[in-house]
Amino acid sequence: MQSHQRVFVAGHRGLAGSAIMRALRSRGYANLVTRNRAELNLLDRAAVSEFFRQQRPDHVFLAAAKVGGILANKDHPAGFLLENLAIQNNVIEAAHECGVRKLLFLGSSCIYPRDCPQPIREEYLLSGKLEATNEAYAIAKIAGLKLCAAYNRQHGTDFLCAMPTNLYGPGDNYDLRSSHVLPALIRKFHEARERNQSKVVVWGTGAPLREFLYSDDLGEALVFLMQQCKAEQTGEAINVGTGEDISILELARRISELVGFRGELEFDAEKPDGTPRKLLDVSRIHALGWHHRVSLEEGLRQTYSAYQQSLLAACAA
Ligand code: GFB
């Protein structure tokens, strides 16, 4: 991928997509094509085809997806399955039709079996049952990965698939019904401190372990993969993570300290824990030459600071 080439970032406003945009811009890529939802509905097959025929991108990052935390996934499986299948089918097929040189599809660490050995190696895909709370989303992502592999085999394309672990960073979704745990806890602890509340409710038991990757690290990893690697080197999927995880209890303690909340934690066991652990084995991407840079401590500081700034901006508006 060279800096004069035309690069389409699908989902450029999301957590992953906006990080890809920053990583591309910092490397001098200026020929970036983006469309917001009002300009291009990725669920509309004909519109997506027409867009590709007109724009003729050389490279595509497919970061557009319907995403959400554990409860949103559990309660709306049909939407997660249908929308993600439609978006990825439309974009991948149109990319192939228009002769796109290289495409990078973004999956998720939840594609791996719930109870597979840890850390999770890429070859554990489809070796066991999925976690029930996000089965629909995972099935869609597995279908996307297999579609890329099928195009590569049948048509000789170079469509890569990256499987990132749980992401976080500035500009995340802070809606408590649909967000992931990290932004949810930032908001809950911040509001509890502001309102002098004595406790914060944390879902589940606090025992599950999660691995968190800062969004700019993901952006760097994806641009690295697009620039340096071919699908034959990465295999059907390549893990992107830090190789380190912490319990939800420990995460809650760290966020509570960062925010300056002095009250108690209460665990709501009515809410699901989800998968007990999904630590990625990142030796394949390390061997190719990429390593994460931002520690969880630093990433949490940056994310909380961006959250506070967004509140100030909202007040000023
Ligand atoms: O981040 P999260 O929603 O998603 O939840 P998953 C991670 C863990 O944090 C679960 C607990 O054990 C939650 O019960 N948790 C504690 C909370 N308090 C909260 C809270 O206030 N909000 C939320 N959301 N969780 C999702 C999948 O799984 O992760 C998707 O459903 C996708 O498919 C995504 O893979 C990365 O890590 O469990």
Side-chain angles (χ1 to χ4, degrees):
M1 184 171 64
Q2 284 151 18
S3 55
H4 66 275
Q5 288 180 316
R6 223 164 154 64
V7 183
F8 172 44
V9 181
H12 71 290
R13 285 180 161 176
L15 192 57
S18 56
I20 295 169
M21 295 293 289
R22 289 191 291 276
L24 287 169
R25 287 199 176 112
S26 74
R27 284 169 179 75
Y29 288 91
N31 205 349
L32 304 179
V33 183
T34 59
R35 290 290 183 278
N36 63 32
R37 224 170 269 208
E39 293 162 340
L40 175 64
N41 178 4
L42 294 174
L43 298 169
D44 180 340
R45 177 77 185 85
V48 173
S49 279
E50 183 54 28
F51 164 79
F52 270 84
R53 271 197 294 276
Q54 280 177 12
Q55 296 299 322
R56 298 256 156 213
D58 299 298
H59 292 80
V60 174
F61 287 89
L62 178 39
K66 179 177 173 67
V67 296
I70 191 164
L71 219 53
N73 269 273
K74 181 173 165 284
D75 293 344
H76 306 284
F80 279 86
L81 186 55
L82 272 177
E83 279 191 38
N84 286 310
L85 285 174
I87 292 170
Q88 66 206 33
N89 288 348
N90 291 344
V91 173
I92 294 169
E93 195 184 353
H96 168 63
E97 280 169 5
C98 286
V100 165
R101 294 160 194 243
K102 205 162 176 182
L103 174 144
L104 198 157
F105 171 66
L106 224 57
S108 162
S109 60
C110 70
I111 61 160
Y112 294 112
R114 179 181 202 270
D115 296 316
C116 66
Q118 308 280 324
I120 306 173
R121 298 170 63 88
E122 287 86 351
E123 50 268 33
Y124 299 160
L125 180 69
L126 293 175
S127 63
K129 285 201 168 194
L130 296 165
E131 155 63 28
T133 52
N134 56 37
E135 189 184 48
Y137 178 76
I139 295 264
K141 290 293 182 181
I142 293 170
L145 176 164
K146 289 293 177 187
L147 185 59
C148 289
Y151 270 114
N152 291 345
R153 200 162 51 241
Q154 195 176 329
H155 298 289
T157 48
D158 195 11
F159 291 175
L160 280 69
C161 300
M163 298 300 133
T165 188
N166 288 34
L167 284 182
Y168 72 103
D172 208 340
N173 168 19
Y174 286 88
D175 177 337
L176 295 178
R177 290 157 306 172
S178 59
S179 66
H180 290 99
V181 60
L182 198 148
L185 292 183
I186 286 183
R187 177 171 176 179
K188 285 180 182 178
F189 284 114
H190 177 84
E191 289 182 355
R193 193 203 63 199
E194 295 285 286
R195 296 169 188 168
N196 278 323
Q197 286 165 351
S198 60
K199 65 169 194 195
V200 159
V201 176
V202 178
W203 294 356
T205 61
L209 293 155
R210 290 291 183 274
E211 176 185 5
F212 295 99
L213 179 68
Y214 191 62
S215 54
D216 279 329
D217 270 337
L218 176 74
E220 296 290 320
L222 300 181
V223 172
F224 164 83
L225 287 169
M226 191 67 115
Q227 283 180 324
Q228 312 276 337
C229 303
K230 289 189 161 297
E232 61 206 32
Q233 293 168 280
T234 60
E236 274 188 354
I238 185 158
N239 292 340
V240 187
T242 64
E244 297 154 19
D245 59 4
I246 69 166
S247 71
I248 298 302
L249 169 61
E250 178 57 22
L251 177 73
R253 285 191 178 135
R254 290 202 199 175
I255 295 177
S256 147
E257 201 179 307
L258 174 70
V259 169
F261 170 74
R262 308 223 181 281
E264 303 285 311
L265 304 185
E266 183 180 295
F267 289 91
D268 175 2
E270 297 289 301
K271 297 284 192 307
D273 266 347
T275 194
R277 191 178 193 195
K278 45 178 170 178
L279 178 64
L280 291 179
D281 182 318
V282 282
S283 43
R284 191 179 287 178
I285 197 164
H286 283 178
L288 287 169
W290 178 85
H291 205 288
H292 81 282
R293 291 216 179 109
V294 182
S295 66
L296 182 58
E297 193 187 2
E298 175 59 20
L300 282 176
R301 253 203 311 273
Q302 301 274 358
T303 306
Y304 183 47
S305 159
Y307 175 70
Q308 288 174 299
Q309 278 164 23
S310 72
L311 293 181
L312 289 174
C315 279

